[in-house]
Amino acid sequence: MEIRRKIAPASQWATDALIFFVFENKELTPGLGEYLGKNAPALLGSGALADVKGQLGRVALLHTGEGAGSPRILAAGLGKPEETDAEKLRQAVAAAAAQARSLELPAVGLPVSALSGLGLDAPAALEESLAGFSLSLYRYDALKTEPAPEAAYPSVLEVLAESELSEDENLAVSEACAQIAGVVRARDMINTPANLATPAYLADQLRQIADTYGFQCGIYGAEAISEMGMGCFESVFKGAGNEARLVVVDTAPNSKEAPVALVGKGVTFDTGGICLKPPLKMHEMKADMGGAAAVAGVLEASGMLPPGPRILAVIPLAENMPGSTATRPGDVATSLSGKTVEIINTDAEGRLLLCDAITYAGKFAPRAIVDLATLTGACVVALGPKVAGLFCNDDALSHRVLEAGERVGEPFWPMPLWDLYAKALESDAADLKNVGPREGGAVHAAVFLKQFVPKDTPWAHLDIAGPAWADEAYQHVTKGGAGFGVRTLFSLLRSW
Ligand code: BES
Ligand code: ZN
Ligand code: ZN
C-alpha cells in the first residue's frame, strides 16, 4: 500500500472515503465537526451517525453528497472518550480499513485533523493509525494462481492536511512507512513455505536488504560455521539437505560505536529432528524463523530512515531435519564458547543455534544483546498466543522493551531468569544439557541461553513462540506470520 501526504484545502481531499472518529454517546469529535461545518446538522439528522453509537469496532458510512471533496466518510467508533488510547485507535482504524475493503474503495484519506481532540499525542496517533490501517490489510497471495484483483483492496492511503505538517508529524509518517515495510518483509518471509524459504533464500533476502541500504553483510555456509567452532549450531543442521547459513549484518561497520546486537532464531523448518514432532500442527513450524524475520524487518525499517544506533544482526538459519546424519539424543556438541552440551532432545534446537549466535555477537562488545526466538511451546502455555515472554538481566533494558512494546501494541510480559534452575541443566556427560524438566520450560530455555551471555552485557531474550504466528486475525495482526517484534525493536532503537 502506498502512503502519501497531500496538503490542500479540505474541498480538494478527493479520495474515495475519509476516515474520521466518533465517540460513544457523543456525536462529533472536533475534527469531524470542523470538516462537516454547516452540513453537520443534515448528516446528524439522517441518523447514520447515531446508528453506529460510536462503539469501538463499528464504522458508519456517511454519504456527504454534492460539492464535498470526498463522497464518503467512514466514521469509526472509538468507544468511550475517557478510555481512548493507542490500542483503541489502532482497532478503530483497522475496522475502517476492513470497511473500505468490503466496499472496494481504492483510495482512502486520513485527515490529520481527525486525530485532534482525541486526547492522544498527535504524531504518535498518526503513526499508529497509519500502521494499524496498512498492516490490517496485509495479505500473502504470492503463491495463488488467481490472487484477488488489486482493485479489490485499498491501495492508497493519503495523509491529508490543509496546511504543512509539523516536523513531528512528517517524521511520524516516515516512521510509519518504515515500520510497515519492515513488518511486511517479516510477514512475507514467515508466510513463504519452507520449501522455498530455505536458509539460502533467507540469507539472500538479508543480502538484498543490506545492499539496498548500504549495510555490511557477511554470509557463511555450513563448512565455515563448523570451522568457526559453532558445534551447537552445527548439531541442528547436520540432518538437513538444505544447507545452513549464518548471516551477519552490520549497519555501521566503520563506526567506533558499540553496536546493539540483534540475534534472531532462523529455523526455516522445525520437524523436531530425531525427536520428531507430532504431525497435527507441524506445518506451522515454517514460522520457526519468526525471530530471524523480525530482525530482517528491523533492518529494513531502520535502513529507510536516517541512521539510528549501530545494529549488529546475527542470524543463524538452519532446517531441523531427521536423517541418517542428524544429531542423536545423547550426542554431545562443543559450543563456540567452549562449553560442551549434551543434546537430550533434538527438538530443543533453537537454544542450540542461539547459544552460538549469542557467543558470536558477544565478541563485538555490544552495548546490549536482544534475541528474538520462537523458542518454547511452554511460553505459549504460560502467556497464551498473543503475548511474548521477556527475560532480561537488566532492569533498564527490560523497561525499554516493555515501553516500546506498549507504544506499538506488541505486548510483552516479564518472566524470571532464576539461577536456581541452572541446576536442572547439569549433564552427566557434558557441561550442560539442552533441556530441563517440562515444567517451567520457557524459563529453563532462557536460563540455558543465559550461560552464553557475556558477563555485564545487558541482554533481553524475547520468546515470541506465541505471537509470531496468528491462528486468526486480531487487531492489526493478520492471520499467519505476524512480524511480531519488528515494531517494538524499531521503536526501541529509535528512542535509544
Ligand atoms: N519451535 C519450537 C517451539 C514452538 C512451539 C514455537 C510452538 C512455536 C509454537 C521449539 O523448537 C521446540 O520444539 N521447543 C520444545 C522444547 C522442548 C523439547 C524442551 C517445546 O516447546 O516443546
Ligand atoms: Zn524444536
Ligand atoms: Zn524450534
Side-chain angles (χ1 to χ4, degrees), residues 347-366:
D347 195 13
E349 84 298 341
R351 64 199 76 180
L352 293 172
L353 45 73
L354 285 175
C355 73
D356 282 344
I358 288 172
T359 304
Y360 185 90
K363 293 182 192 294
F364 290 77

Side-chain angles (χ1 to χ4, degrees), residues 265 270 277 285 288 345 347-351 374-378 380 435 465-466:
K265 172 178 172 182
D270 183 10
K277 285 180 180 296
M285 285 301 125
D288 210 19
N345 191 323
D347 195 13
E349 84 298 341
R351 64 199 76 180
T374 49
L375 203 62
T376 66
V380 192
V435 291

Side-chain angles (χ1 to χ4, degrees), residues 55-119:
Q55 281 176 359
L56 187 62
R58 289 215 205 170
V59 181
L61 173 65
L62 308 177
H63 288 273
T64 44
E66 295 279 302
S70 198
R72 301 175 196 83
I73 287 175
L74 295 170
L78 257 181
K80 298 194 173 63
E82 65 277 12
E83 288 174 7
T84 305
D85 59 14
E87 184 54 56
K88 301 229 166 57
L89 181 64
R90 278 188 296 266
Q91 287 181 38
V93 172
Q99 180 84 301
R101 172 156 141 191
S102 70
L103 295 170
E104 300 192 5
L105 305 176
V108 177
L110 176 68
V112 172
S113 59
L115 298 163
S116 64
L118 303 183

Side-chain angles (χ1 to χ4, degrees), residues 345-430:
N345 191 323
T346 61
D347 195 13
E349 84 298 341
R351 64 199 76 180
L352 293 172
L353 45 73
L354 285 175
C355 73
D356 282 344
I358 288 172
T359 304
Y360 185 90
K363 293 182 192 294
F364 290 77
R367 61 170 129 166
I369 300 177
V370 180
D371 78 72
L372 291 99
T374 49
L375 203 62
T376 66
C379 197
V380 192
V381 173
L383 300 175
K386 298 178 184 174
V387 178
L390 165 63
F391 301 81
C392 192
N393 65 359
D394 181 271
D395 284 346
L397 179 60
S398 173
H399 271 110
R400 280 172 196 270
V401 175
L402 287 169
E403 260 176 29
E406 168 88 32
R407 266 198 300 278
V408 304
E410 293 182 337
F412 291 83
W413 194 254
M415 299 281 281
L417 271 173
W418 292 309
D419 286 328
L420 180 66
Y421 284 6
K423 189 118 189 83
L425 298 172
E426 285 175 5
S427 154
D428 297 333

